[in-house]
Amino acid sequence: MADAHMLVFQDSRLVYGKFKGNAVRDFFDNFELRFCTLDIKMRRSGCLVVLPVLVLILPVVLAEYLLPGDVVPKHYDVRLVFDVDPRTNYSFFGVADILLDVKKTTSKIVLHAQEYTVAEDKVVFHGAGDLPAVTSVKLNDTYNFLTLTLNKELVEGSSYRLQIPFYGNLKIGLDGVYISTYVNKKTKLREYLIATQFEAISARKGFPCFDEPIYKATFRLNIGHHEEFTAVSNMPLFNTTKDNALEDVWSWETIAKKFRKDRAHFVWDQFENSVPMSTYLVAFVVSKFSYVESPPELANTKFRIWARSDAIDQTAYAANLGPRVLSHFERWFNVSFPLPKQDMIAIPDFSAGAMENWGLVTYRETALLYDNQQSSFLNKERVAEVIAHELAHQWFGNLVTMKWWSDLWLNEGFATYAASVGVAAVEPAWRADRSYALDNILSVLSLDALESSHPVSVPIDNPKRISEIFDEISYRKGSTIIRMMTMFLGEHVFREAINNYLVKHSYGNAEQDDLWAELTAATQRHGGLSRNVTVKQVMDTWTTQTGYPLLTVTRDYTDNSLTISQKRYLSLGARASSASSWWVPLRVLCEGETQTQQEAGPVQWLAAGEGTRSLHRFEHGAAPDQWVIFNTDMIAPYRVNYDPRNWQLVSRALASGHRAVPVLARVQLLSDALELAWAGRLDYTTALQLTSYLQKETDYLPLSTGLRALAKIENVLKRTPDYGAFQKFVRRLIGETYNRSGGLSSGMILNEDDLISVKMQVTTSSWACRMKVPGCEENAIALFDRWMESPNPDENNPIPLDLRRTVYCVALSRGSVRHWRFALERRRSANVAAARDQLLHALACSRDTWILAQYVLAHPNIPAPQHPNTTPYLEWAITEGSEVRRQDAAAVLAGVTRSTVGYYVAKDFIYDRIQDIYNAFSQGRRIGFIIKTLLDQFIALFL
């Protein structure tokens, strides 16, 4: 497992640009800059930083973690009975009957099991003939291998039926088969439910199984439970009976000793046989939930949305959108949805945003439920995006599954890309195809610029490392390079290839080379790519290598030529030379040309190896006084650095008439200029002069991109004397746009039906309050005070929905403990997850350290506050059954860590309570998220 250790950072050579002295203040005041740099070296003679982190000690193995494959499953009959009752410690009994095919003669069967007891004396084979007997049952805890030794060999080519009985107790948690709880807002009673989360390797916690994606099989589930509950699973219900389905192995007398309940109150729900699928897609929920059924005309598939009975009125949007997205994907993939029904269910405690279990998609409440009185427009967009993502998985991931987790990106990257396709089809005014692509690319450009990044297709040498690749590289970079393919192949060719891929590998497994083969074949049928390059040649450079290229473009102003070099971009500077190179699709726009003209021509290529050892020459059509811009449609994730004269030409064009430069080109320029300056590859005079045009920008995407990049500078300056100059600079950039978009002074959302307009008002309002735009914070506090004065604040909230997150945070950072406790009470009363989420974020904005953490722990030398019933907010994050749900705990710790005052409190808390934090989070990704957030703030302190 993991232990807390002390990691000492010494003699590290992290070098950043330092915003120092009057030089930057002068620029922020006058849009001019004299830029200074300061090397920050954490040395023995300088600062010594001691940071508690978790060090995971993982054994070095080759293929020892994989099942041998001598015996494979063909069908599972899984019978379970649960007592959803804390008084009996959530007891359960189960039987897994597995039909096995023998691929190689063997006297051992190896499969997976974890967190329950296998009844060794009851493990037997069933069937006719002279069957083998099980002589020993051993469980290896390292890889959860359950090894059954037999008294005779299984015969190659034969089939056997193996029965494995087991029993145990469920836990309140977030993976495997787990218990979740909630309080019914109508009855005020605490209710319990059983949920599952089996991805990636937690199906073994539900029942003994071959828990690797390549071992697809059919499943028939039979679930026993108290009659007050309802069970739902991947497939439709076949029948319900009062007969104990486990009687041949677990008599009711045995079960009753644990359950202490009358058999007459239990029922067993048997579900239809499933299609062949991987174990991680098996799912069931046992609850007291209700459901609504979608209008049958929206899809050919029966569609139901499940939720808490007191939240069922929040399912209308999902019930309408879900079947429309499903129907669109049937047309887009040209493959029918193969199941007779599709259920989607909102779980009160859920580790991920959602999980694509075939026929039963599970969600966090915030990702499925929408209330038009309590959920913002941005919440609505999030619901649509997640639903589209999960429904795309029903084809890409479920129908065709990766062979091993190394190709997780085939699942997640494609679903992330397809989400934009699905949302754009059902909500076309949102322009999801463009906005989602931009968000994905910018995230990739940030994360993949680190030496610690990993390839899209990454070798996994230990199952315990699988969770590490459920990150933005697999999701967002995967999506970005899939979008890149659609652009250089053309959508018609791309969709033809995807259809062939899905049909050919239906109900089976595939790897990325299988996808490349279909894409190359489709491309060749339509004439092929320029330079006779294959899809595999291009895409392997993007999936098997870490990172992305920086193109350095230098123009020769005496003719129409330029030179290009490529090298892997690293945001902190390369510590070692890199031989990486890519096939880079090039689209180049010259001043005076239109985007349409540029896109009409074929994509040009910078080949792998070109521009590495020698410069690659490229001709263009711009005059010496005209600009040249690469990647104007952001076809691929790479950065571009120009010679100083071309940067000046671009900057001048933006200042004089920015609309002559296409929207995505403006996004690319802003992102590149500020990032290259941050990394010391471009002077800040050039970068900030280019950024100055934002005061005239009226399109949301470039403005939000510029602010996103400036946030890195803000993080450095916010604890320095230069922060005021930075605030003044940003006020000039956003002041007019803030007022024009409606801001906070209007007390309303100006264009509440226009998502882009709403985003503009929300983003500029948040920045305006942080940058001290006159009146912004005062308006926020006034709105919050009006809410506090409302006679029925839980029903009447005067704060506009999409502005609440900003208003809440300002009010709680500027207000007193009275404001904090009012927000806490409203969160306790809220029945809409989105509303609770906004208030949870706001509670972390407090500047009262005694509220954020235990007083003695954080500030032992400060007198105790004279406040009764003090609330240690951070303590809740690691306390079971507290105000903070397990799914939200990491967000609480990260939220406090990011705040200016809260950082110091959170740092002490994490230092002193690292073992308790680890004990509270069984999911390693959450630990990493907390540590990363702390380090982001820690680094800023030394710049």
Side-chain angles (χ1 to χ4, degrees):
M1 292 298 292
D3 298 305
H5 292 272
M6 306 304 285
L7 181 64
V8 180
F9 287 89
Q10 287 184 321
D11 208 20
S12 299
R13 295 178 179 269
L14 299 179
V15 181
Y16 285 80
K18 169 65 177 175
F19 300 87
K20 181 185 180 184
N22 294 329
V24 173
R25 182 180 293 112
D26 289 344
F27 182 89
F28 289 148
D29 286 343
N30 304 308
F31 290 9
E32 295 180 356
L33 180 65
R34 302 288 186 270
F35 185 69
C36 301
T37 61
L38 176 68
D39 290 353
I40 302 301
K41 301 173 182 177
M42 292 181 279
R43 300 182 173 183
R44 293 180 181 86
S45 59
C47 54
L48 175 65
V49 184
V50 182
L51 175 69
V53 297
L54 295 174
V55 178
L56 298 178
I57 303 174
L58 299 176
V60 178
V61 295
L62 295 175
E64 298 174 1
Y65 57 88
L66 291 175
L67 295 175
D70 298 339
V71 177
V72 300
K74 185 175 182 180
H75 175 76
Y76 293 83
D77 270 313
V78 180
R79 294 171 285 161
L80 299 159
V81 61
F82 297 100
D83 189 19
V84 192
D85 188 344
R87 295 170 297 180
T88 62
N89 199 20
Y90 313 111
S91 301
F92 72 88
F93 291 84
V95 179
D97 287 290
I98 311 174
L99 181 61
L100 302 171
D101 283 348
V102 181
K103 300 297 183 182
K104 181 180 178 182
T105 298
T106 181
S107 59
K108 287 186 178 181
I109 298 175
V110 184
L111 65 164
H112 294 105
Q114 187 179 3
E115 293 189 356
Y116 44 74
T117 301
V118 173
E120 298 181 15
D121 59 331
K122 295 178 180 286
V123 179
V124 296
F125 286 89
H126 284 290
D130 183 19
L131 297 172
V134 178
T135 59
S136 77
V137 179
K138 293 184 179 179
L139 183 64
N140 178 305
D141 290 333
T142 302
Y143 300 122
N144 317 125
F145 286 159
L146 180 66
T147 301
L148 312 180
T149 304
L150 314 179
N151 69 342
K152 58 186 296 186
E153 289 187 331
L154 302 178
V155 179
E156 182 178 341
S158 300
S159 297
Y160 297 83
R161 182 178 162 221
L162 174 67
Q163 184 176 87
I164 307 177
F166 55 101
Y167 62 93
N169 301 92
L170 300 182
K171 300 176 182 178
I172 294 176
L174 293 174
D175 75 324
V177 184
Y178 67 93
I179 295 290
S180 180
T181 72
Y182 62 97
V183 174
N184 187 302
K185 295 296 183 181
K186 295 179 180 177
T187 66
K188 308 302 181 186
L189 297 176
R190 178 166 294 279
E191 302 286 1
Y192 300 85
L193 70 143
I194 296 172
T196 59
Q197 171 58 34
F198 286 164
E199 190 179 41
I201 55 172
S202 291
R204 64 193 67 178
K205 295 182 179 181
F207 53 92
C209 60
F210 294 75
D211 199 15
E212 294 173 10
I214 199 169
Y215 295 113
K216 286 192 168 184
T218 55
F219 294 82
R220 181 168 62 193
L221 270 61
N222 195 320
I223 299 174
H225 55 83
H226 196 279
E227 62 187 1
E228 292 181 338
F229 292 81
T230 299
V232 61
S233 188
N234 305 85
M235 299 300 292
L237 181 66
F238 178 71
N239 68 14
T240 299
T241 178
K242 285 282 189 177
D243 297 331
N244 175 16
L246 291 77
E247 190 69 30
D248 61 321
V249 180
W250 299 113
S251 68
W252 185 258
E253 288 72 18
T254 300
I255 295 172
K257 290 178 182 178
K258 287 283 189 179
F259 287 12
R260 301 196 297 273
K261 290 179 177 64
D262 190 337
R263 172 177 171 173
H265 295 297
F266 276 72
V267 296
W268 278 261
D269 292 329
Q270 181 176 324
F271 297 89
E272 294 179 11
N273 279 8
S274 76
V275 296
M277 62 183 182
S278 302
T279 50
Y280 77 89
L281 295 171
V282 176
F284 55 85
V285 175
V286 180
S287 70
K288 296 181 180 179
F289 283 7
S290 302
Y291 72 86
V292 298
E293 191 167 334
S294 299
E297 66 271 14
L298 296 180
N300 296 322
T301 303
K302 182 179 180 180
F303 218 105
R304 298 182 299 183
I305 314 296
W306 295 76
R308 294 178 285 115
S309 59
D310 55 338
I312 199 66
D313 58 342
Q314 302 169 34
T315 58
Y317 182 63
N320 178 272
L321 179 120
R324 291 165 58 212
V325 170
L326 191 78
S327 296
H328 178 72
F329 282 149
E330 286 188 308
R331 295 187 295 271
W332 201 76
F333 291 121
N334 196 24
V335 177
S336 297
F337 181 67
L339 302 187
K341 64 92 177 176
Q342 176 65 69
D343 287 310
M344 305 200 299
I345 188 165
I347 307 297
D349 262 317
F350 200 70
S351 61
M355 175 61 206
E356 66 267 19
N357 316 297
W358 217 349
L360 177 60
V361 184
T362 44
Y363 294 82
R364 278 194 186 201
E365 290 192 339
T366 52
L368 183 65
L369 304 182
Y370 171 78
D371 181 279
N372 57 14
Q373 299 298 315
Q374 296 289 327
S375 305
S376 68
F377 205 153
L378 299 182
N379 295 139
K380 186 177 186 178
E381 183 191 28
R382 169 67 174 163
V383 169
E385 180 184 6
V386 178
I387 289 175
H389 179 106
E390 303 309 324
L391 293 181
H393 270 308
Q394 308 303 301
W395 286 266
F396 236 94
N398 298 8
L399 183 63
V400 180
T401 310
M402 73 258 152
K403 290 181 178 179
W404 178 241
W405 297 101
S406 297
D407 281 328
L408 173 70
W409 82 272
L410 286 176
N411 284 15
E412 299 300 348
F414 201 96
T416 302
Y417 171 73
S420 67
V421 173
V423 175
V426 298
E427 299 282 8
W430 296 0
R431 293 297 309 273
D433 52 341
R434 193 174 72 165
S435 62
Y436 292 7
L438 175 62
D439 284 343
N440 293 333
I441 293 171
L442 293 179
S443 293
V444 169
L445 292 175
S446 176
L447 180 61
D448 213 23
L450 303 175
E451 284 190 293
S452 58
S453 186
H454 64 81
V456 171
S457 182
V458 57
I460 299 293
D461 58 5
N462 189 312
K464 295 178 181 178
R465 295 190 57 202
I466 294 171
S467 65
E468 297 175 13
I469 62 170
F470 280 82
D471 62 7
E472 292 187 358
I473 296 300
S474 297
Y475 285 71
R476 293 180 181 266
K477 187 174 183 182
S479 171
T480 296
I481 62 176
I482 288 168
R483 172 180 174 268
M484 178 179 75
M485 282 193 293
T486 67
M487 294 175 74
F488 70 69
L489 294 175
E491 184 176 326
H492 175 72
V493 175
F494 179 78
R495 288 176 60 187
E496 177 185 311
I498 293 303
N499 172 259
N500 293 337
Y501 171 85
L502 291 172
V503 171
K504 183 176 182 178
H505 298 285
S506 287
Y507 306 108
N509 299 82
E511 54 193 355
Q512 70 174 25
D513 277 359
D514 296 314
L515 180 60
W516 302 158
E518 296 302 330
L519 287 161
T520 295
T523 303
Q524 290 173 346
R525 284 193 294 270
H526 293 272
L529 295 173
S530 61
R531 302 189 67 172
N532 294 318
V533 64
T534 67
V535 173
K536 178 176 170 58
Q537 284 177 290
V538 172
M539 297 308 298
D540 276 355
T541 66
W542 292 96
T543 62
T544 63
Q545 298 183 121
T546 304
Y548 59 85
L550 166 67
L551 303 190
T552 301
V553 175
T554 305
R555 293 176 59 181
D556 184 341
Y557 291 91
T558 64
D559 61 19
N560 294 85
S561 71
L562 53 80
T563 57
I564 309 173
S565 67
Q566 64 163 306
K567 184 178 182 181
R568 182 186 171 189
Y569 178 75
L570 291 168
S571 59
L572 301 184
R575 297 181 184 176
S577 61
S578 172
S580 300
S581 64
W582 289 260
W583 276 88
V584 185
L586 301 177
R587 283 220 171 111
V588 186
L589 186 67
C590 298
E591 187 173 353
E593 296 177 345
T594 66
Q595 185 84 1
T596 303
Q597 288 174 316
Q598 180 220 29
E599 293 177 356
V603 170
Q604 302 182 66
W605 293 98
L606 179 67
E610 291 180 343
T612 53
R613 295 180 180 85
S614 61
L615 298 178
H616 179 73
R617 190 171 181 274
F618 188 92
E619 294 187 352
H620 61 85
D625 61 345
Q626 294 179 313
W627 48 256
V628 171
I629 302 176
F630 280 66
N631 210 22
T632 53
D633 54 0
M634 301 185 77
I635 186 175
Y638 58 87
R639 294 199 181 279
V640 186
N641 194 4
Y642 303 97
D643 59 80
R645 182 171 171 178
N646 197 68
W647 275 119
Q648 290 300 320
L649 290 170
V650 169
S651 184
R652 184 182 67 191
L654 290 174
S656 61
H658 62 275
R659 292 195 175 279
V661 179
V663 170
L664 291 186
R666 303 201 298 269
V667 169
Q668 179 81 38
L669 289 165
L670 287 162
S671 177
D672 285 348
L674 287 166
E675 171 60 28
L676 291 169
W678 176 265
R681 291 179 170 88
L682 181 68
D683 64 272
Y684 260 102
T685 302
T686 299
L688 292 177
Q689 283 178 342
L690 182 145
T691 306
S692 301
Y693 99 91
L694 284 175
Q695 58 190 316
K696 301 176 183 178
E697 182 62 77
T698 56
D699 195 294
Y700 173 73
L701 294 179
L703 182 64
S704 63
T705 300
L707 293 174
R708 181 175 182 165
L710 288 170
K712 293 178 71 171
I713 302 176
E714 180 193 16
N715 198 39
V716 172
L717 294 181
K718 64 185 178 182
R719 299 181 181 93
T720 72
D722 294 319
Y723 190 44
F726 175 80
Q727 289 176 310
K728 182 179 179 181
F729 172 68
V730 177
R731 285 199 298 270
R732 293 186 183 182
L733 294 186
I734 67 169
E736 290 185 15
T737 308
Y738 167 68
N739 292 324
R740 185 172 57 249
S741 66
L744 294 180
S745 60
S746 63
M748 60 183 291
I749 298 293
L750 285 192
N751 299 298
E752 60 182 12
D753 296 326
D754 183 340
L755 177 62
I756 306 304
S757 177
V758 169
K759 286 184 176 181
M760 182 70 89
Q761 186 172 355
V762 169
T763 300
T764 55
S765 295
S766 175
W767 274 86
C769 285
R770 292 211 312 274
M771 298 299 105
K772 306 298 183 184
V773 170
C776 185
E777 289 187 312
E778 291 75 12
N779 288 331
I781 294 169
L783 283 168
F784 196 88
D785 286 342
R786 280 178 57 197
W787 186 29
M788 292 181 68
E789 294 164 3
S790 173
N792 187 2
D794 293 323
E795 299 294 331
N796 301 312
N797 186 339
I799 306 170
L801 278 171
D802 282 273
L803 296 175
R804 288 178 184 176
R805 192 177 181 95
T806 296
V807 169
Y808 292 170
C809 189
V810 170
L812 268 63
S813 66
R814 291 280 302 271
S816 66
V817 66
R818 184 172 66 92
H819 293 80
W820 198 89
R821 288 180 176 160
F822 175 82
L824 177 61
E825 284 304 313
R826 302 290 71 74
R827 185 177 186 275
R828 287 170 173 166
S829 302
N831 190 41
V832 176
R836 293 198 304 270
D837 196 52
Q838 289 173 336
L839 287 162
L840 186 75
H841 168 266
L843 292 172
C845 296
S846 173
R847 296 183 182 183
D848 289 320
T849 58
W850 63 272
I851 288 177
L852 296 176
Q854 288 177 317
Y855 136 77
V856 173
L857 176 64
H859 296 283
N861 299 321
I862 300 176
Q866 301 300 310
H867 296 289
N869 304 317
T870 59
T871 309
Y873 189 48
L874 285 176
E875 191 72 27
W876 285 346
I878 60 173
T879 304
E880 186 64 53
S882 72
E883 298 277 350
V884 176
R885 284 191 173 276
R886 183 70 60 86
Q887 68 177 14
D888 301 318
V892 168
L893 285 166
V896 176
T897 302
R898 290 191 194 100
S899 70
T900 305
V901 173
Y903 163 76
Y904 299 98
V905 179
K907 175 175 65 70
D908 289 344
F909 186 82
I910 294 170
Y911 278 23
D912 292 338
R913 302 295 294 281
I914 189 66
Q915 187 63 53
D916 294 331
I917 292 171
Y918 171 73
N919 293 339
F921 297 106
S922 60
Q923 299 283 327
R925 281 182 291 163
R926 287 178 168 77
I927 296 289
F929 173 62
I930 293 166
I931 297 298
K932 178 184 181 300
T933 305
L934 178 65
L935 286 173
D936 285 344
Q937 301 303 310
F938 158 77
I939 290 172
L941 289 174
F942 292 92
L943 300 182

